[in-house]
Amino acid sequence: MSEGDQKKTVLLVDDAPANIQIVNSILKDIYKIRIATSGAKALELANVTPLPDLILLDVMMPEMDGYEVCTQLKLNPATHDIPVIFLTGQTEVEDETRGFDVGAVDYIHKPFSPAVVKARVHTHLVLRGIREQLAQQLLTIQKELETARQIQLSILPSEIPKMEGLDIAARYVPMTSVAGDFYDFIVLDERHIGILVADVSGHGMPAALIASMLKIALSAEVAHVADPARVLLGLNQALCGKFQHHFVTAAYLYLNMEKQTLTYAGAGHPPLLLWGDSEGVRSVEENGLFLGKFSFATYTSVELPLRAADRILLYTDGIPETANPEGVEFGADCFKRFLERDQSVSADRFADSLIEEMLRWSERGLADMDDDITIVAIQVRK
C-alpha cells in the first residue's frame, strides 16, 4: 500500500483478549483497527464516523451473540452495507448457514491463519469497493436515463389539439424510462389535422433516439400533411441509412372535417380501427414496408367517409400483444370485443378504459408491462 493510500478501517469484535491480540497483530500494519469486546459496544462503534469498512465479528459472545449483532447491523440503513465476516471455532454446516442467513459474507475459522485472515479481509474489501463503484455507476445511469426521459417527453405533444367536430385523446405508457413509441399531430387549421403513431423496434435508449429522429423527420413533411402515403415516403427516406439494427412501424391518418373524410396509410403497422353506432369494428390496413430499412419502399393510402359518432383508434402493438399470466395475448378478437361493448362518452374516458382493460387482462401494473403502449383515440362528435 502506498503512503498516499488511505487505510481502511476494520472493526474487530471479540470478547476474548487473546483472539483480539492475534487478529490485531495480523492486521494492524495494514488497516486501522477498532476494537469492541461486546455486542453492544460493537453496535456503538459501527455507527461512529467514519464508519468501518469491514467488521470481523466473533460468533460466541455473552449477552448478545454475533448473530444478533449482525442482524441489528443489517437492519440499520447506515451499517447495512458493511461486510461482516464471522470469527468462529464452530465448523458445523448449520452454524455457518445461520450466519449467512443473518447477512454475513464469510467465515474465518479459529485458530487463525495470518495468511487466511489477510486474504479474506482483503478480498471482501475489494468486493465492497467494486459494489460501491457499480452502485455509483448505476446511479449515474439512472440520472442520465431520467434526463433522457424528460427530453423524450418534451418531444411529445404538450397538449391535445382542439379540433372542430372531433374529440381526441392520447395515452403514452413507456415500458422503461425511455421508449420507442412516438406520436405527434400536424394541425393545419381547426378542421384539418394529420396524426402519426410510430413504434421503433426494441426498447431503451437506442429506440428512444430513433423516436426522437421521427420528430424532426415529421416536421419536414408539413407540406404533405394531407397525403399520408407521401408523408410515410418522406419519413422512410429520412430514416434509411441512419441505423442498422432497428426499424420503425408507423401509421399516419389525415382527417378532413370539411369533407368529412379520413385518409390513412401504414408502414408495417397494426391496422387502424374504425367503428360507429351502426357498424361493427372495421380494420383498415393499407400497409407498405416498415420504415428505415428499404429505400425503395412505396406507400399507398385509402380514403374513407366519416360519419357522426364514428370512433377511430391508432395504437402500437403493445395493446394486442399484451399477455395474461398464462401467456395468452390480448389479440385482435378480444380487442374488437372490447371496442364493441365499450360505452365511453368521450375519447379520454375510452383511452382510460382501454388501459384499464390491459391491466385487467395482464394482471400487472403499468410498470410491469412487456411493451410500450401508445393510443390515439378519436371520436367524431354527433
Side-chain angles (χ1 to χ4, degrees), residues 195-197 227-233 250-254 262-270 272 284-288 299-303 314:
I195 305 171
L196 176 73
V197 169
D227 186 349
R230 180 64 184 82
V231 169
L232 293 183
L233 180 65
Y252 182 83
L253 171 68
Y254 175 69
L262 71 80
T263 311
Y264 172 77
H269 201 78
L272 174 146
V284 181
E285 272 192 271
E286 192 70 19
N287 261 335
Y299 303 92
T300 58
S301 58
V302 59
E303 182 176 290
L314 295 172

Side-chain angles (χ1 to χ4, degrees), residues 39-56:
K41 189 64 176 180
L43 293 176
E44 178 186 335
L45 293 182
N47 285 276
V48 173
T49 305
L51 299 181
D53 298 290
L54 181 140
I55 298 173
L56 295 174

Side-chain angles (χ1 to χ4, degrees), residues 115-327:
V116 171
V117 172
K118 290 178 182 179
R120 296 279 172 89
V121 170
H122 174 73
T123 295
H124 287 289
L125 285 172
V126 170
L127 289 174
R128 185 185 185 187
I130 293 171
R131 286 195 299 270
E132 290 176 345
Q133 184 179 23
L134 290 174
Q136 185 58 47
Q137 291 173 347
L138 179 60
L139 181 61
T140 299
I141 291 171
Q142 290 172 336
K143 289 179 178 178
E144 291 175 350
L145 284 174
E146 177 58 22
T147 300
R149 188 183 76 86
Q150 294 297 334
I151 293 172
Q152 185 175 30
L153 289 176
S154 73
I155 71 171
L156 296 174
S158 58
E159 60 182 9
I160 303 299
K162 305 297 183 184
M163 304 296 297
E164 183 178 315
L166 295 175
D167 180 19
I168 304 174
R171 296 292 182 272
Y172 172 79
V173 183
M175 174 186 170
T176 56
S177 297
V178 288
D181 280 11
F182 175 77
Y183 73 95
D184 205 356
F185 305 99
I186 302 178
V187 179
L188 281 185
D189 55 44
E190 63 183 12
R191 306 201 70 185
H192 303 85
I193 184 173
I195 305 171
L196 176 73
V197 169
D199 183 0
V200 182
S201 63
H203 305 286
M205 191 70 75
L209 290 173
I210 296 171
S212 299
M213 293 168 62
L214 279 167
K215 176 76 172 182
I216 300 171
L218 182 63
S219 66
E221 298 301 317
V222 173
H224 310 293
V225 61
D227 186 349
R230 180 64 184 82
V231 169
L232 293 183
L233 180 65
L235 293 178
N236 187 55
Q237 291 172 343
L239 295 176
C240 275
K242 300 298 192 299
F243 42 83
Q244 294 183 340
H245 305 296
H246 295 270
F247 60 87
V248 181
T249 71
Y252 182 83
L253 171 68
Y254 175 69
L255 296 172
N256 185 332
M257 298 310 294
E258 186 174 3
K259 294 183 178 180
Q260 293 289 300
T261 59
L262 71 80
T263 311
Y264 172 77
H269 201 78
L272 174 146
L273 298 177
L274 173 65
W275 69 107
D277 287 346
S278 58
E279 296 183 5
V281 178
R282 176 181 177 183
S283 295
V284 181
E285 272 192 271
E286 192 70 19
N287 261 335
L289 296 171
F290 44 75
L291 307 177
K293 279 293 186 182
F294 307 106
S295 59
F296 55 82
T298 59
Y299 303 92
T300 58
S301 58
V302 59
E303 182 176 290
L304 298 170
L306 280 178
R307 301 178 180 84
D310 273 352
R311 303 165 84 181
I312 307 162
L313 182 64
L314 295 172
Y315 56 96
T316 53
D317 61 9
I319 295 285
E321 293 179 3
T322 291
N324 65 14
E326 288 72 42

